[in-house]
Amino acid sequence: MSTGRRVTWGLVVFAGVAVVLNLVGVAADSVSRSHVVPGPDGSSHVTTGNGLAAYHDLLVAAGHPVSVLSAPIRPGTLDPSTTLVIASPEEFALDERQVDLIGDFLAGGGRLVLASTTFFGDLATTLLDPAPRLGPAPPPEVTALLPVPETAGVATVATSGLYAWKDTGAALPIVGADGVTVVAVASIGRGRLVLLADPALLSNAFIGTNAHLGLAVAGEPGRPIVFDEYVHGYGSDSAITAIPPRWRAALALLLLATFIWLWSIGSRFAPAEPADRVFPPARGLYVDALAASLARTPDRDMSMPTTPRP
């Protein structure tokens, strides 16, 4: 297989994979416009039981301006007058720089609602030390423990019965029962950190019962709300770019490996035959060339004696 043909086949395969990915993206976009929108837990786009789409709609109905963050947190991204909601983030979604900026956001008066079964080490060191520690599972229903703004109008809270804290560390326990806590708060600078042991408290499955809790932790009426969707892999409205960054990198490496494989197997074959047969020069051309060569050769001196043979 010739080099040109190898390159051609490589480009064909690359184009084919790109077409397949685009078709998958179109299908995903089509699904996202249907009644049920699947996706990662804690996402405000998702309408399944573990999503937060209903909470998003509740905040909008209550008069909160709601927006979505689809890029990493960078300087100037967060406005301290807003409430940032981070629910069930991916493990490596928040790097050290983003955590530092969240700390600055809280110190300046921002509000963070962090709903996660795990409390990241960087967050614990930067925002809250000591951090809460998971404990026994909570009962199906818990109650408000203290009269703070985050429990205004809250009598009971329905839980999934899966996650709770036995120790809230430097945070103040405000919702719980039977010696465990599911919601805690902490003041950081001029801001407020609201911690939920289980993202299910605000999920589509429980927000109908926990609506008062959802509105109370969001802050005062009219406060802008920002859902961090970058932590779920949503980079934009496109389904292709919504693929988590590590998955996109893996796909790129797969495409590169496929191209190299096609190139390598091409070298196992002999070169392709020429498209046209190559014939020797015509006899007339040969005769003309010989005549021209003789014409350039000087004549011999015939007057010189020759030695007879014995």
Side-chain angles (χ1 to χ4, degrees):
M1 184 180 291
S2 66
T3 300
R5 190 168 297 182
R6 289 200 302 268
V7 173
T8 300
W9 275 108
L11 293 176
V12 168
V13 172
F14 183 86
V17 173
V19 169
V20 171
L21 289 177
N22 276 279
L23 290 175
V24 171
V26 171
D29 286 337
S30 177
V31 170
S32 68
R33 297 186 183 96
S34 64
H35 181 66
V36 177
V37 182
D41 294 351
S43 170
S44 63
H45 297 313
V46 175
T47 61
T48 56
N50 291 329
L52 266 63
Y55 183 43
H56 175 285
D57 295 344
L58 173 67
L59 293 171
V60 171
H64 291 276
V66 180
S67 59
V68 169
L69 179 63
S70 57
I73 297 171
R74 294 290 181 259
T77 299
L78 301 177
D79 184 348
S81 67
T82 64
T83 294
L84 176 65
V85 179
I86 301 179
S88 298
E90 291 186 358
E91 185 177 358
F92 301 104
L94 295 171
D95 57 28
E96 183 177 353
R97 177 56 174 158
Q98 292 185 79
V99 173
D100 289 339
L101 292 172
I102 290 175
D104 296 340
F105 163 74
L106 288 168
R111 172 179 287 265
L112 171 62
V113 177
L114 178 62
S116 177
T117 56
T118 59
F119 201 74
F120 302 109
D122 287 341
L123 279 173
T125 302
T126 304
L127 305 181
L128 200 64
D129 190 14
R133 294 183 300 164
L134 287 175
E141 188 174 274
V142 294
T143 61
L145 302 176
L146 293 174
V148 293
E150 289 77 12
T151 58
V154 177
T156 60
V157 173
T159 77
S160 66
L162 296 176
Y163 304 103
W165 292 307
K166 62 180 179 181
D167 179 8
T168 58
L172 180 69
I174 62 171
V175 177
D178 298 339
V180 297
T181 304
V182 297
V183 183
V185 295
S187 295
I188 299 179
R190 293 187 289 114
R192 191 75 158 173
L193 173 62
V194 183
L195 303 172
L196 283 74
D198 189 355
L201 299 180
L202 301 178
S203 68
N204 299 325
F206 291 94
I207 195 62
T209 304
N210 299 339
H212 288 294
L213 175 68
L215 293 175
V217 299
E220 66 274 11
R223 185 182 181 93
I225 311 295
V226 178
F227 284 89
D228 191 343
E229 290 297 337
Y230 180 78
V231 299
H232 300 128
Y234 291 98
S236 71
D237 292 335
S238 169
I240 292 296
T241 55
I243 298 174
R246 287 172 292 169
W247 292 16
R248 293 200 298 268
L251 287 174
L253 290 175
L254 178 61
L255 291 175
L256 178 61
T258 302
F259 185 82
I260 293 175
W261 174 72
L262 290 171
W263 184 279
S264 65
I265 64 173
S267 62
R268 302 176 188 175
F269 301 96
E273 293 183 357
D276 299 322
R277 182 178 175 183
V278 179
F279 293 94
R283 289 188 178 184
L285 295 177
Y286 173 75
V287 172
D288 291 342
L290 182 59
S293 178
L294 291 174
R296 291 193 297 270
T297 303
D299 294 335
R300 293 183 179 182
D301 186 359
M302 303 301 295
S303 62
M304 296 179 63
T306 59
T307 303
R309 292 181 179 180

